[in-house]
C-alpha cells in the first residue's frame, strides 16, 4: 500500500504550488492512471514518490515504511524496490542492452562490480531472463541508441523487472511512441501487473488507454486532485473538470 | 528608431576594428615590400638542410612527448575535479566555487610565466614546460568538462537515481558515457595546441623542436629552420588525422 498525505511541492521561481496538499492511498494490486493537462502536476506527483523531486511538505509511506524524511542510504534501498519508466526512456547511452538492464540492480550490486562493469554471472542471467520476458534476448550486445523507441522502452521495462519491484511508476511512458507501439507497451505492463502482482501508478495523456487499462483514475488539475474513481465514472462532465478550458485558467 | 538600433552592432564592431588598426599601426602600404619575404624564403630557406635531420626528428618526438604527457596528466587530474565544478553535480556550493576558482587561476597564468618560475626548481629542459602545460590544461579541461557535465541530458542521471544508484554511479553511468565523445574531440584539439605552445616554450629552453628552431633561427641557419618547420607541419597534421580517426571510432 502506498500512502501519500499532505504532499506539497512548489518549485523555486514559481508562485503557485505544482502539487498542493495531495492525499492519496493506492492499494496493493491497483493500476492507477493519473490524468491531467500539461502543468497540472502529474509529473511532479509521480517524481515525488521516489523523491526524484524532493517534496516540501507531506509524508509518503510504501508498505508502511516512510520514503520521505529518510536518509540517503535508506532512500537508495527503497528506490531499488520501486521501478520507474519515463517518457524519453532514460536508458544509459553508449552502453549495451544487457548493462542497461543490469543497472536495475544498482542498489544491491557491490561497488567494485559496478565500478569496473564486471557483473556477476547471476546478475547477467537475471538480466537475460528479464530481456526474454520483453522479447529482446537477441539484442543483449546492441547499443541502446541503435534500438527503436518501442524496443528502448522494453529495455527500460526489463530494467524494472530486474528490480522485481512491488511498485511501478511511469511518467508518460507511451507519449513518445506511435499508437500501436504504445498499446503494445501497455499490454506488456498489463501482463506484468497480473504476473508480478505489481502495483502501478502511471501518467498517461491518452484517455482511451487510461479507460482500457486502469482500475482507478485520478484526475489532477492545478496541483489538486479533482477526480478519484473507477474508469466507468469518467464522464464528459468529469473530463471537463480534469481538462479545464484554457480561458478558465 | 528601430533601424537605428539595428545599426548599433555593426557600427560598434567597425569602430573597434578601426580603433585597433590604429593602435597596431596597420597600413596596406607596408606590404609594398612583400617581395622581400618571398626572396628571403626562396634564396635562404631552400634547399632544405638535412644534415642534422636525425637530431630534428628526435626533437620532434620530444615535442610530441611533452604535449602528450602534459595533456594526458592534465585530463586525468581535471576529470574528477570537473564533477566538483559542475553546478548540477557538486556536493556543495563551497566546493563548486573553490574548484572553479582554481581552474580559473590555472588558466589565467600564462604558460611562459609558469615555465619561467619552474626553471629554478626543475632546471632547463622539457620539465618546466611540462609543468606549465599541465597547470594550464587542468584549467582548460576543468572549465570545459564541467560545462559539458552541466549541459548533459538529465534522463540517464535520473534513471540511475531511480534504481537506487549512488552519486558515483550517476557520474559513471549517467554522465560519463555522454561526455566521453566530447572530451575526446576536445582532447585532440588541446594536444595540437600543446604542441604549438611547447614550441614557444622552446625559447625558455624547454627542449624539443621549439628550442632547436629558436637556436637555428638565431644562428641564421634558415635551411635547417625550413626542415624543422616542415616537421612541425607534419606533426600537427598527423595529430589532426589521428584525432579524426579516434572520433569516428568512438562516436
Amino acid at each position: 500500500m502506498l500512502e501519500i498525505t499532505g504532499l506539497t511541492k512548489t518549485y523555486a521561481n514559481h508562485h503557485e504550488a505544482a502539487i498542493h496538499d495531495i492525499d492519496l492511498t493506492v492499494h496493493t494490486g491497483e493500476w492507477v492512471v493519473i490524468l491531467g493537462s500539461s502543468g497540472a502536476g502529474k509529473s511532479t506527483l509521480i517524481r515525488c514518490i521516489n523523491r526524484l523531486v524532493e517534496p516540501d511538505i507531506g509524508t509518503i509511506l510504501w508498505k508502511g515504511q516512510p520514503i520521505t524524511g529518510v536518509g540517503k542510504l535508506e532512500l537508495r534501498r527503497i528506490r531499488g524496490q520501486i521501478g520507474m519508466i519515463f517518457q524519453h526512456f532514460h536508458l544509459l547511452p553508449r552502453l549495451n542492452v544487457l548493462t542497461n538492464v543490469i543497472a536495475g540492480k544498482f542498489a544491491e550490486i557491490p561497488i567494485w562490480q559496478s565500478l569496473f562493469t564486471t557483473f556477476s554471472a547471476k546478475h547477467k542471467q537475471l538480466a537475460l531472463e528479464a530481456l526474454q520476458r520483453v522479447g529482446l534476448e537477441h539484442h543483449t550486445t546492441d547499443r541502446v541508441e541503435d534500438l527503436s523507441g518501442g524496443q528502448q522502452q522494453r529495455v527500460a521495462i526489463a530494467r524494472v523487472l530486474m528490480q522485481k519491484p512491488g511498485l511501478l511508476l511511469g511518467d508518460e511512458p507511451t507519449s513518445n511512441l506511435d499508437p500501436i507501439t504504445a498499446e503494445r507497451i501497455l499490454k506488456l505492463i498489463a501482463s506484468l501487473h497480473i504476473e508480478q502482482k505489481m502495483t502501478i501508478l502511471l501518467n498517461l495523456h491518452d484517455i482511451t488507454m487510461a479507460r482500457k487499462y486502469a482500475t482507478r483514475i485520478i484526475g489532477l488539475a492545478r496541483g489538486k486532485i479533482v477526480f478519484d474513481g473507477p474508469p466507468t465514472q469518467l464522464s464528459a462532465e468529469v473530463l471537463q473538470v480534469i481538462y479545464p478550458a484554457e480561458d478558465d485558467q | 528608431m528601430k533601424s537605428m538600433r539595428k545599426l548599433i552592432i555593426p557600427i560598434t564592431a567597425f569602430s573597434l576594428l578601426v580603433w585597433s588598426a590604429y593602435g597596431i599601426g596597420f597600413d596596406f602600404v607596408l606590404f609594398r615590400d612583400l617581395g622581400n619575404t618571398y626572396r628571403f624564403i626562396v634564396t635562404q630557406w631552400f634547399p632544405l638542410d638535412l644534415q642534422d635531420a636525425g637530431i630534428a626528428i628526435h626533437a620532434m618526438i620530444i615535442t610530441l612527448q611533452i604535449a602528450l604527457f602534459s595533456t594526458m596528466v592534465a585530463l586525468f587530474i581535471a576529470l574528477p575535479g570537473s564533477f566538483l565544478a559542475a553546478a548540477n553535480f557538486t556536493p556543495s556550493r563551497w566546493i563548486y566555487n573553490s574548484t572553479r576558482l582554481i581552474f580559473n587561476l590555472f588558466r589565467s597564468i600564462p604558460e611562459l610565466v609558469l615555465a619561467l618560475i619552474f626553471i629554478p626548481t626543475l632546471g632547463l629542459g622539457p620539465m618546466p614546460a611540462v609543468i606549465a602545460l599541465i597547470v594550464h590544461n587542468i584549467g582548460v579541461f576543468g572549465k570545459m568538462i564541467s560545462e559539458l557535465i552541466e549541459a548533459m541530458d538529465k534522463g540517464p542521471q535520473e534513471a540511475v537515481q531511480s534504481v537506487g544508484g549512488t552519486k558515483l554511479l550517476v557520474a559513471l553511468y549517467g554522465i560519463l558515457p555522454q561526455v566521453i565523445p566530447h572530451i575526446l574531440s576536445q582532447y585532440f584539439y588541446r594536444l595540437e595546441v600543446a604542441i604549438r605552445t611547447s614550441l614557444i616554450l622552446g625559447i625558455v629552453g624547454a627542449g624539443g623542436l621549439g628550442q632547436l628552431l629558436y637556436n637555428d633561427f638565431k644562428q641564421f641557419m634558415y635551411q635547417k629552420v625550413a626542415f624543422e618547420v616542415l616537421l612541425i607541419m607534419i606533426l600537427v597534421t598527423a595529430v589532426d588525422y589521428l584525432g579524426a580517426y579516434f572520433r569516428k571510432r568512438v562516436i
Side-chain angles (χ1 to χ4, degrees):
Chain A
M1 198 162 72
L2 179 73
E3 293 165 275
I4 299 171
T5 346
L7 201 67
T8 299
K9 171 71 186 178
T10 311
Y11 291 103
N13 311 322
H14 284 251
H15 294 300
E16 228 173 317
I19 50 170
H20 184 74
D21 200 17
I22 299 275
D23 294 315
L24 175 65
T25 302
V26 179
H27 297 281
T28 307
E30 272 189 314
W31 178 333
V32 176
V33 165
I34 304 169
L35 293 177
S37 46
S38 29
K42 306 188 295 287
S43 195
T44 304
L45 175 56
I46 289 278
R47 273 151 203 268
C48 277
I49 293 170
N50 61 1
R51 280 170 60 191
L52 283 183
V53 168
E54 195 64 53
D56 300 329
I57 322 168
T59 56
I60 304 168
L61 301 177
W62 167 240
K63 289 181 174 169
Q65 326 163 50
I67 297 176
T68 44
V70 299
K72 274 186 197 171
L73 211 70
E74 174 67 2
L75 176 63
R76 283 208 300 274
R77 197 185 63 78
I78 295 170
R79 277 177 176 169
Q81 301 168 4
I82 299 175
M84 184 156 186
I85 48 178
F86 303 85
Q87 179 176 1
H88 297 288
F89 322 128
H90 290 188
L91 299 178
L92 312 178
R94 301 169 46 75
L95 296 171
N96 67 31
V97 167
L98 196 73
T99 308
N100 262 278
V101 176
I102 293 175
K105 277 267 188 263
F106 269 171
E108 43 185 275
I109 288 175
I111 179 72
W112 56 269
Q113 281 186 13
S114 40
L115 264 182
F116 302 104
T117 55
T118 50
F119 303 110
S120 68
K122 186 188 92 184
H123 285 134
K124 283 182 189 161
Q125 182 57 32
L126 281 173
L128 193 65
E129 284 165 20
L131 282 169
Q132 274 165 352
R133 183 64 195 79
V134 301
L136 286 175
E137 68 274 22
H138 300 303
H139 292 271
T140 49
T141 55
D142 290 4
R143 270 212 200 169
V144 287
E145 298 94 326
D146 298 336
L147 302 178
S148 70
Q151 287 174 324
Q152 291 194 30
Q153 195 60 292
R154 272 145 70 198
V155 173
I157 291 172
R159 178 169 73 195
V160 169
L161 286 174
M162 192 78 183
Q163 292 175 259
K164 287 207 167 301
L167 177 63
L168 172 64
L169 305 173
D171 190 14
E172 305 247 9
T174 57
S175 303
N176 213 20
L177 301 169
D178 64 78
I180 310 251
T181 313
E183 171 114 44
R184 276 196 202 130
I185 292 294
L186 285 170
K187 273 188 181 143
L188 179 61
I189 295 172
S191 59
L192 301 178
H193 179 223
I194 297 164
E195 277 169 36
Q196 317 255 337
K197 297 179 180 64
M198 249 185 233
T199 305
I200 293 172
L201 191 61
L202 300 184
N203 293 333
L204 289 182
H205 70 262
D206 187 331
I207 299 163
T208 322
M209 289 300 126
R211 275 207 177 95
K212 191 167 169 187
Y213 289 99
T215 60
R216 179 178 166 195
I217 306 258
I218 301 286
L220 211 59
R222 305 180 77 175
K224 286 178 185 142
I225 293 179
V226 292
F227 173 78
D228 183 354
T232 46
Q233 285 177 17
L234 204 62
S235 61
E237 292 77 42
V238 169
L239 284 173
Q240 262 185 355
V241 177
I242 300 176
Y243 297 97
E246 286 293 320
D247 39 296
D248 287 0
Q249 296 195 8
Chain B
M1 253 337 263
K2 225 176 186 179
S3 58
M4 277 291 282
R5 207 175 290 171
K6 264 187 193 166
L7 282 174
I8 285 175
I9 291 175
I11 288 173
T12 315
F14 187 72
S15 318
L16 285 171
L17 188 73
V18 172
W19 175 69
S20 38
Y22 263 106
I24 59 174
F26 185 86
D27 193 344
F28 282 108
V29 178
L30 290 168
F31 290 96
R32 72 193 155 199
D33 294 331
L34 202 59
N36 292 352
T37 299
Y38 175 75
R39 269 188 302 281
F40 171 52
I41 290 176
V42 169
T43 58
Q44 311 259 327
W45 288 45
F46 291 97
L48 302 184
D49 181 355
L50 297 179
Q51 221 178 346
D52 293 331
I55 295 172
I57 288 171
H58 182 247
M60 176 183 77
I61 293 170
I62 296 283
T63 294
L64 179 65
Q65 286 169 329
I66 292 171
L68 266 178
F69 182 81
S70 40
T71 47
M72 284 168 90
V73 170
L75 181 60
F76 191 73
I77 297 171
L79 186 58
S82 24
F83 279 90
L84 304 179
N88 58 335
F89 194 84
T90 187
S92 82
R93 198 79 211 164
W94 184 82
I95 293 174
Y96 168 83
N97 283 327
S98 36
T99 36
R100 292 240 133 177
L101 186 72
I102 291 170
F103 288 155
N104 286 334
L105 203 70
F106 279 14
R107 240 181 12 261
S108 65
I109 311 169
E111 285 128 321
L112 195 65
V113 174
L114 279 168
L116 279 170
I117 59 175
F118 276 107
I119 288 175
T121 307
L122 300 164
L124 290 175
M127 272 315 284
V130 166
I131 298 300
L133 284 168
I134 288 177
V135 169
H136 186 79
N137 277 297
I138 287 175
V140 174
F141 282 132
K143 178 188 164 68
M144 194 192 81
I145 299 172
S146 60
E147 280 166 11
L148 279 172
I149 292 170
E150 286 170 2
M152 285 304 115
D153 180 13
K154 303 281 174 291
Q157 304 172 45
E158 267 194 333
V160 176
Q161 283 179 306
S162 79
V163 295
T166 55
K167 210 163 178 187
L168 182 65
L169 292 183
V170 172
L172 283 178
Y173 286 86
I175 298 173
L176 208 54
Q178 293 189 73
V179 290
I180 278 177
H182 300 275
I183 292 177
L184 198 75
S185 79
Q186 289 294 324
Y187 173 77
F188 279 99
Y189 175 64
R190 290 310 304 174
L191 180 63
E192 190 191 313
V193 173
I195 288 171
R196 281 185 271 120
T197 310
S198 79
L199 297 176
I200 307 239
L201 295 178
I203 296 173
V204 292
L209 260 182
Q211 193 173 350
L212 204 59
L213 190 82
Y214 185 65
N215 289 343
D216 288 343
F217 229 112
K218 278 198 302 194
Q219 296 171 59
F220 312 111
M221 298 201 278
Y222 297 120
Q223 283 155 313
K224 285 186 179 174
V225 167
F227 181 62
E228 287 146 18
V229 169
L230 181 70
L231 286 181
I232 293 169
M233 289 162 73
I234 291 171
L235 184 61
V236 170
T237 313
V239 165
D240 187 48
Y241 272 97
L242 197 72
Y245 172 76
F246 272 107
R247 272 199 299 277
K248 220 177 262 170
R249 287 292 299 266
V250 171
I251 299 165

